[in-house]
């Protein structure tokens, strides 16, 4: 009789432990974030990135804080040699890995960066990154830290400043794996009051959010 009771207790204990282990596993699995599945766009980039959207961007680009920042940088730096540009870009890249970031801080703390940060925040998820480049292709202001400082070797600069005033270049859409959203960069030449190219701006747009707004009749 005592042996039978002992066997019963051991069996009940094993069952309890197994149940508890299963419960803990279920809780752990439920806490693991599930990666969102990307959804294809139903509208084309041409239907999403309209002349009205580009006109809206130009409106908030053509303000004194942008013009003054570019004027000051272009006059102060002049035309840099490629070796100087490469050295600055290397310094920026190195600083992204460190706590001490004097070059990055000097850009992020300026009035233009503060303005671009507010523009991005006001877009409520439509703009995911905004930065302005000078005539050398170096960042003058930005809404967040970029991986590099020099954009002059990329299409965003070559197909805007490299082409001339009034240029617009919309890059190919890319899928952001972390958010499962489609994004594209809209790049525009920035001109002064005389119509001369003084720099360029890149605005990364969340196409998934833009499409949602358009299909809901909310505009851009």
């Amino acid at each position: 009789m005592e042996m039978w009771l002992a066997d019963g207790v051991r069996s009940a204990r094993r069952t309890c432990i197994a149940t508890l282990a299963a419960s803990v596993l279920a809780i752990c699995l439920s806490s693991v974030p599930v990666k969102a599945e990307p959804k294809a766009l139903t509208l084309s980039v041409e239907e999403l990135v309209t002349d009205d959207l580009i006109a809206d961007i130009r409106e908030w680009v053509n303000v004194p804080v942008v013009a003054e920042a570019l004027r000051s940088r272009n006059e102060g730096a002049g035309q840099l040699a490629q070796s100087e540009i490469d050295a600055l870009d290397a310094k920026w890249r190195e600083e992204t890995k460190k706590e001490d970031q004097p070059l990055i801080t000097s850009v992020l703390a300026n009035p233009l960066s503060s303005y671009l940060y507010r523009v991005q925040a006001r877009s409520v998820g439509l703009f995911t990154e905004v930065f302005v480049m000078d005539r050398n292709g170096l960042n003058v202001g930005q809404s967040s830290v970029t991986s590099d400082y020099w954009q002059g070797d990329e299409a965003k600069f070559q197909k805007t400043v490299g082409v001339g005033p009034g240029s617009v270049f919309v890059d190919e859409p890319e899928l952001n794996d972390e958010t499962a959203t489609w994004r594209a960069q809209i790049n525009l030449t920035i001109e002064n009051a005389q119509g001369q190219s003084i720099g360029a701006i890149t605005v990364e747009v969340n196409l998934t959010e833009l499409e949602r707004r358009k299909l809901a009749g909310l505009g851009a």
Side-chain angles (χ1 to χ4, degrees), residues 59-73:
E59 185 174 349
W60 55 258
V61 168
N62 293 326
V63 294
V65 67
V66 176
E68 177 57 28
L70 282 169
R71 183 199 63 77
S72 178
R73 169 65 74 78

Side-chain angles (χ1 to χ4, degrees), residues 25-37:
L25 179 60
I27 292 172
C28 291
L29 290 176
S30 66
S31 66
V32 175
V34 178
K35 187 175 181 180
E37 287 297 324

Side-chain angles (χ1 to χ4, degrees), residues 78-123:
Q79 188 65 43
L80 296 177
Q82 189 60 49
S83 58
E84 295 176 290
I85 291 173
D86 291 342
L88 286 168
D89 191 48
K91 179 175 175 59
W92 181 283
R93 290 172 183 268
E94 189 62 29
E95 285 187 9
T96 61
K97 307 170 188 176
K98 298 179 178 179
E99 291 187 7
D100 186 27
Q101 303 175 319
L103 177 58
I104 292 175
T105 301
S106 70
V107 175
L108 287 180
N110 69 35
L112 177 56
S113 291
S114 297
Y115 173 69
L116 298 178
Y117 176 83
R118 293 196 301 273
V119 167
Q120 179 176 326
R122 287 199 303 266
S123 77

Side-chain angles (χ1 to χ4, degrees), residues 3 7 15 32 93-94 108 110 135 151 165 189 198 209:
M3 184 177 295
D7 289 342
T15 301
V32 175
R93 290 172 183 268
E94 189 62 29
L108 287 180
N110 69 35
R135 286 187 304 201
Q151 319 298 332
T189 302
I198 56 174
E209 172 62 13

Side-chain angles (χ1 to χ4, degrees), residues 11-178:
S11 177
R13 185 180 297 166
R14 286 196 295 270
T15 301
C16 182
I17 292 173
T19 303
L20 180 60
S23 299
V24 171
L25 179 60
I27 292 172
C28 291
L29 290 176
S30 66
S31 66
V32 175
V34 178
K35 187 175 181 180
E37 287 297 324
K39 181 181 178 182
L41 297 170
T42 57
L43 298 177
S44 66
V45 175
E46 290 75 16
E47 291 174 302
L48 292 170
V49 182
T50 62
D51 291 341
D52 286 342
L53 176 58
I54 292 173
D56 287 342
I57 293 174
R58 285 201 182 280
E59 185 174 349
W60 55 258
V61 168
N62 293 326
V63 294
V65 67
V66 176
E68 177 57 28
L70 282 169
R71 183 199 63 77
S72 178
R73 169 65 74 78
N74 288 332
E75 290 182 0
Q79 188 65 43
L80 296 177
Q82 189 60 49
S83 58
E84 295 176 290
I85 291 173
D86 291 342
L88 286 168
D89 191 48
K91 179 175 175 59
W92 181 283
R93 290 172 183 268
E94 189 62 29
E95 285 187 9
T96 61
K97 307 170 188 176
K98 298 179 178 179
E99 291 187 7
D100 186 27
Q101 303 175 319
L103 177 58
I104 292 175
T105 301
S106 70
V107 175
L108 287 180
N110 69 35
L112 177 56
S113 291
S114 297
Y115 173 69
L116 298 178
Y117 176 83
R118 293 196 301 273
V119 167
Q120 179 176 326
R122 287 199 303 266
S123 77
V124 195
L126 184 60
F127 302 146
T128 54
E129 184 179 45
V130 187
F131 54 91
V132 169
M133 301 155 270
D134 65 15
R135 286 187 304 201
N136 289 301
L138 295 169
N139 292 353
V140 181
Q142 53 206 84
S143 61
S144 58
V145 179
T146 52
S147 59
D148 52 2
Y149 187 40
W150 185 52
Q151 319 298 332
D153 58 341
E154 299 183 31
K156 60 174 62 73
F157 181 81
Q158 295 173 352
K159 294 189 176 182
T160 53
V161 174
V163 174
S167 300
V168 178
F169 169 62
V170 181
D171 216 336
E172 292 295 321
E174 294 184 356
L175 179 66
N176 183 284
D177 291 327
E178 292 184 6

